[in-house]
Amino acid sequence: MMKGRESLPCLAMVLVQLGYAGMNVLSKLAMDSGMNPFVMATYRQVFATVVLAPFAYFFEWKTMPKITKSVLIQLFLSSVLGATLNQCLYFLGLKHSTPTIACALTNLLPALTFLMAIPFGMETVGIKRRAGQAKVIGTVLCVGGAMLMSFYKGSLIKIGKSPIDWRYAESMRERNSGNEESTFIGPLLIVGSCVAWAGWFIVQTKMSKGFPAPYTSTGIMSLMAAVQCGVIGAFSERDLKEWSLHSNIRLVASAYSGAIGSALAFCLMSWCIQRKGPLYVSMFSPLLLVIVAILGWGLLDEKIYVGSVVGSALIVLGLYAVLWGKEKELEAINGVDDNKTLQHIECGEKSDLELQVSSNKHIQDSV
């Protein structure tokens, strides 16, 4: 029985990656059908808000702290960075690239968060230590892999034709044949979405200390983002017919991305972080790349090029280097804090070290 319980976090994270893989494939098909990326982002936020509302009400409504003006400002910044900019840029980049490239580039997030956290004093380089060297090398590998995928295509890797003949996906590809994929603009937009997401982590680190109610904060953030994306979408797509979800693929993709890609994935990852920690959750990111690559080839007849494979490999290697460095750094911080705590207990003194340890761990969680 214990072994079964211990395997639940692993199963949950595999389900999260499968859910994200399905979201990428369905979103790509919806946009190939002509759906505006900003309209897609708007509906994702709407469905996410609807799904998260019951969780916020039943689990946090009676216990959540007061929503102050400072918290509202932080929620607004979180919605702009973590939802509006992040998802609008991501969907726009996905439209001009492929699901495999999009998933590969999202592995840049830990490296970008590390770089952006340094000016705010949330991260230190520590180049003289092995952990610091691993973070720097991993960041360089991630950035190099992203640049390779953005600017170098290379020769086509011949792996045979998919045995699955999905006529609907084939018709969508023919409809989208005029739009060039895998150009440098698509990957660059996805990198931009990762930069916005990294900025969200920095804002979230501060907000979570004063407002520790994840379901409520995410629900409010999604609601704000729905309004923001709606305004952007209204300017980019003024034809009301294009906002209709009468098309099955558009309805399924919008509902799926909101309910599974945002709400369910958030709940499962939060649970896994509580059980196993953030590094455990991060280790499953490359699995998404493998699943999407298989689905992209099998269902969408996606072509794979040398530049994409080499760039993806560099990004994954860089990801694990950064995570290894963070793990060693966290172990060192916890070791020092534990020693200090013991010293204070022996002296019979009270201290706020537990708060410091919690703060340090939360900063680690952002990466």
Side-chain angles (χ1 to χ4, degrees):
M1 179 67 75
M2 285 297 294
K3 289 184 177 180
R5 290 181 179 178
E6 288 298 319
S7 64
L8 284 178
C10 178
L11 177 61
M13 285 310 304
V14 172
L15 289 175
V16 168
Q17 303 308 323
L18 286 170
Y20 276 141
M23 184 194 73
N24 277 274
V25 172
L26 289 172
S27 299
K28 178 64 175 175
L29 284 173
M31 286 183 286
D32 283 351
S33 72
M35 189 174 190
N36 188 300
F38 301 120
V39 175
M40 167 72 76
T42 302
Y43 280 124
R44 176 177 179 176
Q45 299 306 322
V46 170
F47 280 105
T49 303
V50 172
V51 173
L52 281 168
F55 287 94
Y57 179 78
F58 288 109
F59 292 108
E60 296 175 348
W61 184 255
K62 295 181 180 180
T63 59
M64 72 173 185
K66 183 180 179 181
I67 301 178
T68 63
K69 184 184 293 186
S70 175
V71 171
L72 273 178
I73 293 173
Q74 291 168 358
L75 282 170
F76 176 77
L77 289 175
S78 294
S79 67
V80 171
L81 293 171
T84 302
L85 281 178
N86 171 33
Q87 293 181 17
C88 285
L89 289 173
Y90 183 83
F91 283 135
L92 196 59
L94 179 61
K95 180 179 181 179
H96 294 286
S97 63
T98 65
T100 302
I101 290 176
C103 291
L105 289 172
T106 54
N107 287 310
L108 281 169
L109 183 60
L112 291 174
T113 305
F114 165 63
L115 287 175
M116 293 180 65
I118 292 175
F120 293 93
M122 296 180 177
E123 285 287 348
T124 56
V125 178
I127 195 65
K128 294 183 179 180
R129 298 189 299 270
R130 284 195 301 171
Q133 293 168 2
K135 290 190 295 183
V136 172
I137 293 172
T139 301
V140 172
L141 287 174
C142 285
V143 174
M147 292 181 66
L148 185 65
M149 294 183 72
S150 300
F151 298 105
Y152 177 72
K153 195 171 185 178
S155 58
L156 176 67
I157 298 178
K158 298 179 180 179
I159 55 176
K161 188 174 177 60
S162 169
I164 303 174
D165 183 18
W166 192 11
R167 293 184 177 180
Y168 183 81
E170 186 176 352
S171 65
M172 289 299 101
R173 286 196 306 273
E174 292 175 355
R175 182 172 181 172
N176 196 45
S177 59
N179 297 329
E180 187 178 354
E181 294 182 345
S182 302
T183 58
F184 75 95
I185 188 64
L188 286 181
L189 287 169
I190 294 169
V191 171
S193 76
C194 291
V195 172
W197 200 359
W200 174 81
F201 274 123
I202 294 173
V203 176
Q204 193 72 11
T205 299
K206 184 176 182 180
M207 186 185 72
S208 60
K209 296 176 184 178
F211 193 74
Y215 298 114
T216 303
S217 62
T218 306
I220 295 174
M221 182 187 73
S222 298
L223 179 60
M224 289 181 173
V227 176
Q228 294 161 10
C229 292
V231 172
I232 297 172
F235 281 99
S236 65
E237 184 58 78
R238 300 185 181 184
D239 188 356
L240 291 178
K241 293 181 180 179
E242 295 300 323
W243 285 82
S244 173
L245 294 178
H246 67 278
S247 172
N248 289 334
I249 187 61
R250 297 188 184 192
L251 175 61
V252 171
S254 299
Y256 186 100
S257 62
I260 306 298
S262 290
L264 181 62
F266 170 80
C267 295
L268 288 177
M269 286 192 294
S270 297
W271 179 77
C272 287
I273 287 173
Q274 290 178 351
R275 293 287 300 273
K276 293 288 187 177
L279 291 172
Y280 181 87
V281 172
S282 301
M283 293 290 284
F284 284 84
S285 296
L287 178 61
L288 174 62
L289 175 59
V290 176
I291 297 172
V292 170
I294 295 173
L295 290 178
W297 169 75
L299 299 178
L300 305 179
D301 195 24
E302 182 181 331
K303 301 295 186 292
I304 299 178
Y305 296 87
V306 172
S308 299
V309 173
V310 177
S312 299
L314 289 175
I315 290 174
V316 171
L317 286 174
L319 168 69
Y320 282 125
V322 172
L323 292 178
W324 183 87
K326 292 301 301 180
E327 183 178 22
K328 295 302 178 184
E329 192 177 69
L330 181 59
E331 289 175 358
I333 291 174
N334 289 339
V336 171
D337 287 335
D338 287 343
N339 290 333
K340 288 183 179 179
T341 303
L342 287 173
Q343 292 175 4
H344 279 267
I345 291 174
E346 290 174 357
C347 296
E349 298 177 1
K350 294 182 180 180
S351 69
D352 61 345
L353 279 174
E354 291 182 358
L355 292 175
Q356 295 177 14
V357 172
S358 176
S359 175
N360 286 333
K361 285 184 177 180
H362 191 81
I363 292 172
Q364 308 302 324
D365 290 356
S366 67
V367 180

